[in-house]
Amino acid sequence: MPVEAATLGHVEEEVARQKSVLSNLHTSRNRLPTEALRDIFIHRARDYHYKHMCPTKSVPSWVNVSYVCRHWRNVALDCPTLWSYLFIMSRRWTEVLLARSKQASLKIRVNLVYLLCASPVLSCVGIVMNHVERIQGLCLRLPAPLIQRGVLSRLSSRAPRLQYLDITVEYPNSPVEWSSLLFDGDPPALRTLRLAACAVPLYSFRLSALTVLRLVDVPVQFQQDMEEFLATLSRMQDLKYLYLYDALPSATGFLSSAVFKTFEKIDLTHLSRLRIRAPLSTTVTLLSCINIPLKTQVRLECKSESNSSLDHYALLRSLLAQRYKDQTQSSPTILSLIVQSTERRATLTFGPRQRDTTPTTYGEWDRDIPLRIELDYLMVDEDAIICDICSSMPLSNVQTLSVHRPIFSPAFWRRILRQLQNVRYITLYGGNMPDLSVLSLTDHTAHDSEGEGLGGLAACDRSQSHVLAPRLEKLGLVYITFLPDYNSDLPEPAITRGCLMAALSTRRLEGSPGHLTMTQCNIPDSPRFNMVAVWGGGGGGGCYESPDVDVDVYLDSDWNLEVEEEEQEEGEED
């Protein structure tokens, strides 16, 4: 072979070798560290696990990480935690997952509700339940008949790693009491317990480490009475979240018992959220028997009972007054009040944000609402109850008042506005226009008297001039209906457009500036009405330009209106 050919071959071999070395260097440079890749895989599996209830129609997408390349597969197979997020589909997959997860703590979610044939999945569940000692999180959805088919009988042994337990029973037409003791009654690491429509007796658990308790729709025959529940609650000193939805019976009898009068309150010093949906007597009893921090977010859904009395509402008011008597920095300042009224139902939301008045968003936990109270099926004077509850709250800093369906008497508005001396924005949503004559700058009505309370909303002991809502900057009306000017026999405490202007005339003459806006309001004998007007500013009126309105409004010194309304489009509904 010629020397040149041998040299050329050697060169080609060296080029190939150098290309291979360069390729390997590029691969090493672009490859994520094994630890980072493992964390990404686990994050993907965990995200899928908590968003889907198994079984699914196909293998979860995150499993494909083990088929991308050899390196990814090696990383995946060498990560037991990745395979501990069990999806129960078939016996083969169940056994593979258990083997790959080695001794990692198991997270299991199983939905047996909509299965046409539950036997294959039940067989897989049985295999998993043989590893109870490894279960860290267990979420079960099962119809009531399956309780007796051995699903839970395998959960009688101890579960030292169990931290999260969530069981929901569907179709509990005839609730079944569980005969076996779950986890030998002692899951020492249990932190979160969520039970829906379950007959699991709480007293069968050792719950001293619990931080989250959520009970929903407990079958009536298995509900603990108040004394029993309080005894159970007293063992949960570390609770952070307590949710009770239709989980406790009426506590009317306990309220009048000697035990209640001498009951030593339970200190829940770590509680940050409390939500109760229960009879009114149960709600006030529970609030009376626990001490919780001022920063705790509280939501109460109080259901009236046939034997509900004014005493129950008075006790609720007293409890709220006592809770907020000593304001500290740990208690959120209340800057907004939202009152929603429907037939025989009222909702009060006390918010920490100045303009927190969006009708569809109030009351959510992520908005840090300090307190929300729902009063269902009111049997007594709604105006008086709402005023009494508001009077128990520290509302001196409230900037925004929003009222939905404001069908309330002038006495109601007078009493509410006396508390809200710093209110700047008032918005009314829907319903008939209430009588807001009390918005006159000087109100010649009585101050609150000791007798003005439940059953005595309009009571007074002396007449005295005082200013109501002196800082009011904006009055907004949204979908409000005005009655005709010629209607002298009003079916409800509502006023006409002319009466509203008269009520605001005093504020105008006194030079207290502000804006009146109407959005899609109903004016008799006219299309839906939008308006923006200015009052005050030295006694003059004028037109306030806004791109959001389709009418121009001119206010002369006597508040007479000359309105140039746009014609409605053909077919538009009033």
Side-chain angles (χ1 to χ4, degrees):
M1 178 182 296
V3 176
E4 294 81 0
T7 303
L8 181 61
H10 177 74
V11 170
E12 292 293 343
E13 290 178 2
E14 183 64 21
V15 169
R17 189 181 70 81
Q18 292 295 339
K19 284 184 177 180
S20 177
V21 171
L22 186 62
S23 176
N24 290 336
L25 288 174
H26 279 295
T27 300
S28 299
R29 183 189 67 182
N30 296 331
R31 178 181 293 177
L32 286 172
T34 299
E35 295 78 8
L37 200 59
R38 184 184 300 121
D39 290 342
I40 293 173
F41 293 169
I42 293 174
H43 178 80
R44 182 70 183 91
R46 182 173 60 242
D47 184 64
Y48 183 95
H49 177 79
Y50 288 114
K51 288 182 179 179
H52 299 83
M53 285 295 296
C54 297
T56 58
K57 295 181 180 180
S58 60
V59 176
S61 57
W62 64 263
V63 175
N64 293 329
V65 302
S66 63
Y67 303 127
V68 172
C69 65
R70 182 178 299 173
H71 174 62
W72 280 31
R73 182 171 181 81
N74 291 336
V75 172
L77 294 180
D78 194 36
C79 179
T81 302
L82 177 64
W83 306 101
S84 67
Y85 293 93
L86 264 66
F87 50 93
I88 298 175
M89 297 179 56
S90 66
R91 186 182 186 92
R92 184 182 71 86
W93 260 116
T94 301
E95 292 174 346
V96 167
L97 290 170
L98 288 172
R100 291 181 180 179
S101 63
K102 299 181 180 178
Q103 291 301 312
S105 298
L106 304 176
K107 280 73 68 175
I108 306 168
R109 293 170 67 86
V110 182
N111 188 351
L112 303 177
V113 175
Y114 302 110
L115 294 178
L116 296 178
C117 180
S119 296
V121 177
L122 282 176
S123 175
C124 297
V125 172
I127 295 174
V128 173
M129 295 312 171
N130 289 329
H131 300 265
V132 171
E133 73 284 351
R134 291 174 52 196
I135 295 178
Q136 183 184 59
L138 177 61
C139 182
L140 289 177
R141 300 286 185 273
L142 67 164
L146 288 185
I147 294 177
Q148 296 178 320
R149 294 185 58 180
V151 176
L152 300 175
S153 61
R154 294 178 178 268
L155 300 178
S156 58
S157 58
R158 293 188 77 251
R161 303 189 198 178
L162 184 67
Q163 296 182 11
Y164 180 95
L165 178 62
D166 183 348
I167 303 178
T168 298
V169 177
E170 302 285 351
Y171 318 121
N173 296 326
S174 53
V176 179
E177 186 172 12
W178 297 354
S179 56
S180 58
L181 190 62
L182 288 181
F183 310 114
D184 198 30
D186 183 23
L190 187 62
R191 298 292 184 270
T192 299
L193 178 61
R194 300 160 61 95
L195 302 174
C198 283
V200 175
L202 289 183
Y203 57 80
S204 66
F205 281 104
R206 180 180 176 183
L207 302 173
S208 57
L210 209 64
T211 59
V212 179
L213 176 62
R214 186 178 188 269
L215 304 179
V216 180
D217 297 329
V218 177
V220 175
Q221 60 268 47
F222 299 113
Q223 291 181 355
Q224 289 183 295
D225 62 35
M226 184 54 66
E227 188 172 355
E228 291 175 341
F229 178 76
L230 290 173
T232 302
L233 189 64
S234 64
R235 304 198 300 268
M236 308 177 194
Q237 298 296 316
D238 294 330
L239 265 187
K240 294 181 179 179
Y241 305 103
L242 177 59
Y243 306 92
L244 303 171
Y245 304 88
D246 298 322
L248 297 172
S250 171
T252 303
F254 184 76
L255 267 176
S256 58
S257 68
V259 175
F260 173 73
K261 296 176 182 178
T262 59
F263 191 84
E264 185 175 350
K265 287 190 174 185
I266 301 170
D267 291 324
L268 300 177
T269 56
H270 303 289
L271 197 69
S272 62
R273 291 182 184 176
L274 172 64
R275 185 164 180 174
I276 306 171
R277 184 171 68 212
L280 178 59
S281 63
T282 304
T283 302
V284 296
T285 299
L286 189 60
L287 291 177
S288 301
C289 295
I290 60 176
N291 284 322
I292 58 178
L294 274 173
K295 63 182 179 181
T296 303
Q297 299 171 7
V298 179
R299 180 168 178 175
L300 309 176
E301 298 180 45
C302 306
K303 301 164 108 179
S304 290
E305 306 164 80
S306 58
N307 56 351
S308 289
S309 66
L310 293 178
D311 291 340
H312 291 163
Y313 292 106
L315 180 55
L316 177 60
R317 173 190 175 182
S318 175
L319 290 169
L320 293 174
Q322 183 178 2
R323 172 173 168 78
Y324 291 95
K325 179 176 63 175
D326 299 321
Q327 280 276 286
T328 65
Q329 292 183 353
S330 62
S331 174
T333 300
I334 297 174
L335 296 178
S336 66
L337 170 60
I338 302 175
V339 181
Q340 185 177 24
S341 172
T342 58
E343 186 177 0
R344 299 181 64 190
R345 184 182 181 91
T347 302
L348 305 176
T349 304
F350 303 88
R353 301 187 182 184
Q354 179 175 315
R355 304 293 300 271
D356 191 7
T357 59
T358 306
T360 58
T361 59
Y362 58 87
E364 298 299 327
W365 288 123
D366 59 1
R367 298 180 69 84
D368 296 327
I369 299 298
L371 175 64
R372 184 180 180 187
I373 302 174
E374 296 182 22
L375 304 171
D376 199 9
Y377 297 108
L378 293 171
M379 301 294 183
V380 290
D381 189 351
E382 179 182 10
D383 286 23
I385 292 174
I386 292 176
C387 281
D388 272 9
I389 291 177
C390 289
S391 68
S392 66
M393 300 293 296
L395 302 181
S396 59
N397 294 309
V398 167
Q399 304 286 301
T400 301
L401 171 64
S402 176
V403 184
H404 303 250
R405 292 181 55 85
I407 306 175
F408 296 110
S409 65
F412 168 87
W413 289 101
R414 181 165 59 250
R415 200 172 164 206
I416 285 291
L417 292 178
R418 286 176 190 165
Q419 280 193 269
L420 308 180
Q421 286 294 293
N422 290 309
V423 67
R424 298 168 60 193
Y425 311 100
I426 297 179
T427 306
L428 310 182
Y429 292 93
N432 288 341
M433 185 65 203
D435 187 349
L436 290 184
S437 59
V438 295
L439 281 178
S440 300
L441 189 62
T442 303
D443 180 36
H444 297 280
T445 53
H447 284 295
D448 285 322
S449 66
E450 294 181 359
E452 183 171 356
L454 288 169
L457 183 63
C460 59
D461 58 354
R462 64 186 183 279
S463 294
Q464 183 174 346
S465 298
H466 61 286
V467 175
L468 288 178
R471 300 183 60 194
L472 182 63
E473 298 177 11
K474 182 177 178 180
L475 173 62
L477 311 179
V478 183
Y479 295 108
I480 292 293
T481 298
F482 288 81
L483 295 184
D485 288 315
Y486 51 79
N487 189 343
S488 58
D489 185 18
L490 301 181
E492 296 174 343
I495 63 173
T496 65
R497 185 179 59 180
C499 294
L500 174 63
M501 299 308 171
L504 294 174
S505 62
T506 303
R507 305 185 78 91
R508 180 186 65 81
L509 294 173
E510 293 289 338
S512 178
H515 297 143
L516 168 66
T517 67
M518 296 184 187
T519 305
Q520 294 291 292
C521 290
N522 291 320
I523 306 295
D525 303 322
S526 70
R528 289 203 177 219
F529 188 83
N530 292 345
M531 184 184 88
V532 176
V534 179
W535 75 73
C543 174
Y544 184 81
E545 299 291 342
S546 172
D548 298 326
V549 298
D550 54 11
V551 298
D552 295 323
V553 180
Y554 299 91
L555 306 180
D556 63 18
S557 59
D558 296 322
W559 280 85
N560 294 322
L561 300 183
E562 299 176 2
V563 182
E564 299 176 1
E565 299 176 350
E566 291 186 356
E567 294 184 0
Q568 286 183 292
E569 296 181 4
E570 185 176 356
E572 183 182 353
E573 296 181 356
D574 289 342

